[in-house]
């Protein structure tokens, strides 16, 4: 646990008692603060009270008298589309609003660092797609290289649940726009921006607000190294804002759409080969085509970002390459769950929007595609760019018929995962891939995308065992 600093003897309100909220309350208590907790869900309050935490209705008049700060969980809106009433009350009372990420950055450093040969480092990863894989991949590479590393934030453990940093250790954080937008402190040593595509626009008041939330990770803390995906205009703009000139190697540009040139520091992937160039000369090269845990151009972008982050910490290219070959992939993210009779079964339940689903479709050929769910704004037309790779789509979800009508590929309305998997497996032939890449949220049929992916995996294994 990272005890929170700066609030000893003060009252701090905590809104939302999920994983991050409970961790924040515990860490505040460990730092000698007095956390006042609230969640609209009675069961969440009961769990907190069972740990000896005090729950106070933050909705009542005068709830913020004598309160030093309000700590808000990521899922609770603080500005758009409308501020949560508790957040609005705190702002009206002049109480600062923060989150667990802000608490972490103000509390992580300790006096014991003065005796370390190498102070702990923090690598923070954000972006629209690929940030989970990139963060997990960086953590894997560091661990394989013998470095002490912890993975936290939007993946792994709650950021305040991790252990204090040891000599030469590294903390790898995956940070969503919800987390970067609100944190009052953001000071990573290395910051990574993977890419940007429309998502969570209602929460951020549009694309500009969404980009601004991501940009805060770089603008607020001034990382020593910034690794920026420049395949979208926003990334190219951000890299330009951060760089002092063409030779400024504090900015490492990455791409999977073109060769990057110039006297700076670049990492790019073309035709399955990763290349690193620095000061106009090639410094490293890796053949990514045979790495099973990283299929497709989108994962090659993740590999470029992870490679650049680890190079920024001084790891050698060959050490990174060896670790890439042992990377098993993340559950629900282009995860190969089975291979039988020449058919490959891939779980990419995390592909909850059109952009990420399109990347999954482009990573494989001869696809039996299971898709559908709670459709997001913007429509599905972009998916038709990969129609040639799809032999047939098997559509699930309560609105499966409407979803299927928007697809250029042949589509069959199945509604349930059980029917979709049964039909796809019955149709599949050697050399084909049965791919779950929903291009939609899971909430019409499942609690979360993990549960959807687990259902797909269970259905596949059940039929393979028959």
């Amino acid at each position: 646990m990272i005890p929170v600093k700066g609030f000893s003897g003060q009252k701090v309100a905590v809104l939302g008692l999920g994983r991050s909220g409970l961790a924040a309350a515990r860490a505040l208590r460990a730092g000698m603060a007095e956390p006042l907790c609230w969640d609209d869900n009675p069961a969440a309050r009961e769990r907190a009270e069972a740990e000896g935490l005090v729950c106070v209705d933050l909705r009542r008049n005068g709830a913020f008298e004598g309160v030093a700060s309000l700590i808000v969980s990521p899922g609770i809106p603080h500005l758009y589309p409308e501020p949560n009433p508790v957040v609005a009350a705190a702002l009206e009372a002049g109480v600062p609003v923060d989150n667990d990420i802000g608490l972490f950055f103000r509390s992580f450093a300790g006096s014991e660092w003065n005796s370390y040969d190498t102070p702990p480092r923090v690598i923070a990863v954000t972006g629209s797609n690929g940030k989970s894989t990139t963060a997990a991949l960086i953590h894997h590479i560091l661990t394989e290289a013998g470095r002490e590393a912890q993975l936290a934030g939007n993946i792994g453990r709650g950021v305040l649940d991790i252990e204090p940093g040891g000599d030469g250790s590294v903390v790898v954080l995956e940070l969503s726009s919800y987390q970067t937008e609100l944190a009052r402190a953001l000071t990573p040593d290395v910051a990574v921006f993977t890419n940007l595509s429309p998502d969570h626009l209602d929460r951020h008041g549009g694309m500009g607000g969404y980009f601004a939330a991501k940009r805060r990770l770089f603008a607020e803390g001034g990382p020593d190294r910034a690794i920026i995906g420049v395949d979208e205009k926003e990334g190219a703009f951000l890299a330009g804002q951060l760089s002092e000139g063409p030779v400024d190697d504090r900015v490492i540009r990455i791409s999977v759409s073109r060769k990057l040139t110039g006297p700076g520091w670049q990492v790019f992937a073309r035709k399955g080969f990763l290349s690193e160039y620095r000061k106009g000369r090639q410094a490293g090269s890796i053949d990514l085509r045979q790495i099973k845990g990283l299929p497709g151009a989108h994962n090659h972008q993740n590999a470029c970002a992870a490679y650049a982050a680890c190079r920024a910490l001084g790891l050698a290219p060959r050490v990174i390459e060896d670790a890439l070959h042992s990377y098993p992939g993340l559950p629900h993210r282009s995860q190969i769950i089975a291979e039988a009779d020449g058919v490959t079964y891939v779980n990419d339940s995390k592909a909850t929007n059109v952009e990420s689903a399109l990347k999954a479709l482009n990573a494989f050929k001869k696809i039996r595609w299971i898709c559908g769910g709670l459709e997001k704004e913007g429509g599905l037309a972009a998916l038709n760019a990969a129609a040639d790779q799809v032999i047939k789509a098997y559509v699930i979800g309560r609105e499966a018929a409407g979803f299927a009508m928007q697809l250029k590929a042949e589509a069959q309305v199945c509604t349930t995962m059980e029917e979709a998997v049964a039909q796809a497996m019955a149709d599949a032939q050697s050399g084909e891939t049965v791919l779950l890449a929903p291009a939609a949220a899971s909430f019409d049929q499942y609690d979360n995308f993990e549960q959807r992916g687990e259902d797909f995996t269970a259905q596949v294994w059940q039929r393979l065992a028959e």
Side-chain angles (χ1 to χ4, degrees):
M1 180 186 295
I2 307 294
V4 172
K5 298 174 182 176
F7 291 108
S8 179
Q10 300 183 70
K11 295 178 180 180
V12 179
V14 178
L15 178 62
L17 296 172
R19 184 187 68 167
S20 65
L22 275 177
R26 297 184 195 112
L28 283 161
R29 183 170 59 183
M32 306 306 293
E34 181 184 346
L36 305 177
C37 304
W38 182 255
D39 193 298
D40 290 343
N41 185 343
R45 298 198 299 271
E46 288 176 9
R47 287 192 295 270
E49 289 171 340
E51 294 189 26
L53 294 166
V54 175
C55 288
V56 174
D57 189 348
L58 298 175
R59 301 169 300 180
R60 63 177 175 79
N61 292 334
F64 286 98
E65 292 180 9
V67 171
S69 184
L70 170 65
I71 308 305
V72 180
S73 292
I76 298 172
H78 53 269
L79 184 57
Y80 300 115
E82 290 292 337
N84 180 279
V86 172
V87 175
L91 295 173
E92 180 68 23
V95 174
V97 179
D98 203 351
N99 62 13
D100 61 328
I101 304 302
L103 295 180
F104 167 81
F105 278 112
R106 69 182 286 168
S107 307
F108 184 50
S111 59
E112 68 275 11
W113 289 21
N114 294 326
S115 63
Y116 291 166
D117 292 330
T118 304
R121 296 283 189 264
V122 177
I123 300 176
V125 182
T126 195
S128 295
N129 297 302
K131 56 185 180 293
S132 295
T133 297
T134 299
L137 187 54
I138 293 169
H139 178 261
H140 174 79
I141 294 168
L142 292 169
T143 302
E144 291 291 296
R147 297 286 294 270
E148 179 188 339
Q150 299 183 80
L151 182 63
N154 207 40
I155 185 175
R157 301 167 69 182
V159 68
L160 293 169
D161 264 341
I162 66 174
E163 300 303 316
D167 194 345
S169 68
V170 183
V171 174
V172 185
L173 302 180
E174 179 202 338
L175 299 181
S176 71
S177 57
Y178 294 1
Q179 293 168 311
T180 58
E181 184 177 47
L182 190 58
R184 293 175 66 87
L186 286 168
T187 54
D189 299 282
V190 179
V192 180
F193 177 88
T194 58
N195 51 58
L196 198 76
S197 60
D199 206 3
H200 311 305
L201 299 189
D202 60 334
R203 176 67 182 264
H204 298 294
M207 196 67 180
Y210 180 47
F211 177 49
K214 301 287 188 184
R215 182 182 175 278
R216 289 192 76 247
L217 181 62
F218 303 85
E220 297 293 323
D224 296 334
R225 285 278 193 276
I227 292 126
I228 310 293
V230 295
D231 287 338
E232 291 86 31
K233 60 184 179 182
E234 292 88 356
F237 176 78
L238 179 59
Q241 281 199 312
L242 297 173
S243 176
E244 293 295 330
V247 298
D248 186 356
D249 66 1
R250 294 174 302 170
V251 177
I252 307 175
R253 293 168 171 82
I254 63 171
S255 174
V256 289
S257 67
R258 65 191 189 279
K259 178 180 179 179
L260 298 177
T261 59
W265 197 348
Q266 298 101 10
V267 178
F268 58 89
R270 296 182 70 205
K271 299 180 180 179
F273 286 88
L274 180 152
S275 297
E276 175 193 3
Y277 276 77
R278 195 170 187 182
K279 298 180 179 178
R281 296 184 178 181
Q282 188 167 14
S285 178
I286 299 174
D287 184 352
L288 301 173
R289 295 173 299 175
Q290 302 305 314
I291 300 178
K292 280 197 168 184
L294 296 167
H298 64 303
N299 275 311
H300 293 175
Q301 183 184 55
N302 301 334
C304 287
Y307 176 96
C310 291
R311 289 288 285 138
L313 292 185
L315 272 66
R318 183 54 57 88
V319 171
I320 299 172
E321 180 177 3
D322 290 344
L324 290 178
H325 280 280
S326 63
Y327 177 65
L330 275 180
H332 315 296
R333 296 163 177 85
S334 295
Q335 177 192 18
I336 298 175
I337 59 169
E339 293 177 292
D341 300 324
V343 179
T344 302
Y345 297 89
V346 179
N347 169 20
D348 202 337
S349 184
K350 182 63 168 62
T352 59
N353 59 41
V354 168
E355 182 77 14
S356 55
L358 184 59
K359 290 179 178 179
L361 290 171
N362 284 326
F364 303 96
K365 299 185 184 299
K366 298 181 180 179
I367 299 168
R368 302 278 176 181
W369 177 29
I370 298 176
C371 57
L374 191 62
E375 186 181 335
K376 295 186 176 180
E377 62 182 57
L380 308 175
L383 292 168
N384 291 326
D388 291 345
Q389 276 118 264
V390 178
I391 301 169
K392 188 175 180 180
Y394 305 81
V395 187
I396 64 173
R398 295 178 185 172
E399 300 175 354
F403 196 104
M405 289 178 64
Q406 299 180 64
L407 302 179
K408 184 177 178 181
E410 178 186 353
Q412 178 177 339
V413 174
C414 296
T415 307
T416 67
M417 184 69 74
E418 180 179 10
E419 183 181 350
V421 170
Q423 192 60 59
M425 292 183 71
D427 294 344
Q429 300 178 19
S430 180
E432 297 177 355
T433 297
V434 175
L435 169 68
L436 170 65
S442 58
F443 304 122
D444 60 333
Q445 293 182 310
Y446 301 94
D447 291 339
N448 48 54
F449 73 83
E450 292 96 341
Q451 189 181 87
R452 177 171 59 190
E454 289 162 3
D455 189 15
F456 170 74
T457 301
Q459 296 289 344
V460 169
W461 277 107
Q462 178 182 331
R463 281 163 178 76
L464 289 177
E466 291 176 351

